[in-house]
Amino acid sequence: MFVLILGPPGAGKGTQGEILAGRLGVPKIATGDLLREAVRAGSQVGRRVKDYMDRGELVPDDVIVRLVEEHLNREDAATGAIFDGFPRTIAQAEAVDQLLNGRGARLSHVLLFDVPEEEIERRLLRRSALGGRTDDDLPTIRRRLSVYQQSTAPLVAYYGKRGAVHRVPGMGTVEEVAEHVRHIVGR
Ligand code: AP5
Ligand code: MG
């Protein structure tokens, strides 16, 4: 099963992706997490992407696609994966099609997490106050939201044309949202 999780920053993609991946027994491929790991490690990729992330801008597609491909090639992703925060551009969505086609696989579900902006700001500011991420200050949160609207929201129509998008109301407790996801995915 290959499941995509789309949604604005702070919508709960990581939280729910983790739960779903555990339940399905497939890896979660979260580009944001992979990039932060690269930054921490000070690798060549990490040095290339740090400024984009600190500004809340998207990292160039070629870096992202290479990173995802590397993880899809691992044995644990042979039968499925949860993509969290990827794709974020039409070019990345086209790359997903190619990567999966090349493996004789296809997307099972596209989940779109829907959370109002006031709640997103509340969640991310709370995380920031608890010593969370460096991109969780208010101006950067707002920049991430606007980048989402501009570059990623068009994917809703892209996948909508294939009738593949399931809207998940992201409000409510983590357990309630997880239950909703379980209902959609059927497992
Ligand atoms: P990324 O790491 O993907 O961040 P994001 O999508 O902007 O936001 P989050 O990861 O914070 O949100 P989330 O939806 O995962 O929510 P979470 O579960 O954490 O990307 C970071 C940066 O990397 C980008 O800005 C870009 O620079 C780069 N990047 C990454 N992928 C890229 C790509 N494909 N292309 C180009 N660039 C890319 O929850 C958020 C908070 O809310 C947590 O504190 C959580 O505990 C809490 N929470 C979760 N669920 C609930 C709930 N139901 N009720 C209350 N609180 C909740
Ligand atoms: Mg996340």
Side-chain angles (χ1 to χ4, degrees):
M1 264 191 162
F2 290 89
V3 178
L4 296 189
I5 304 186
L6 295 179
K13 302 182 297 293
T15 304
Q16 296 298 330
E18 193 72 39
I19 296 173
L20 181 61
R23 205 164 58 230
L24 298 180
V26 299
K28 180 181 76 148
I29 302 179
T31 45
D33 294 348
L34 296 173
L35 294 169
R36 277 184 292 278
E37 228 172 83
V39 170
R40 263 196 305 274
S43 69
Q44 202 184 343
V45 167
R47 289 196 301 274
R48 184 166 169 210
V49 302
K50 186 176 185 309
D51 279 355
Y52 293 100
M53 298 180 76
D54 285 346
R55 283 184 277 125
E57 303 292 340
L58 293 182
V59 165
D61 290 331
D62 64 304
V63 177
I64 300 290
V65 172
R66 215 171 309 127
L67 205 59
V68 170
E69 185 168 19
E70 203 181 291
H71 284 263
L72 261 187
N73 283 339
R74 296 188 178 177
E75 205 173 312
D76 62 348
T79 59
I82 311 297
F83 294 115
D84 156 11
F86 167 84
R88 263 172 149 97
T89 61
I90 298 283
Q92 291 179 23
E94 288 167 355
V96 171
D97 288 337
Q98 269 188 8
L99 289 170
L100 292 185
N101 282 342
R103 286 166 176 72
R106 55 182 206 87
L107 278 182
S108 344
H109 301 277
V110 177
L111 307 178
L112 171 64
F113 281 62
D114 215 1
V115 176
E117 294 203 354
E118 309 81 66
E119 170 68 9
I120 287 173
E121 290 184 3
R122 248 195 313 272
R123 286 183 187 180
L124 297 183
L125 290 174
R126 192 184 309 138
R127 180 168 69 188
S128 170
L130 294 171
R133 286 169 30 185
T134 51
D135 57 351
D136 280 343
D137 60 289
L138 198 53
T140 314
I141 293 169
R142 293 198 168 144
R143 182 65 200 145
R144 284 156 64 201
L145 281 166
S146 108
V147 166
Y148 174 80
Q149 288 309 336
Q150 204 180 335
S151 303
T152 308
L155 295 183
V156 177
Y158 179 89
Y159 288 115
K161 280 190 206 126
R162 307 186 197 174
V165 180
H166 300 270
R167 263 174 209 275
V168 182
M171 295 293 279
T173 65
V174 169
E175 293 72 25
E176 284 164 351
V177 179
E179 187 52 27
H180 203 114
V181 170
R182 196 183 64 77
H183 201 78
I184 292 168
V185 173
R187 288 170 60 185

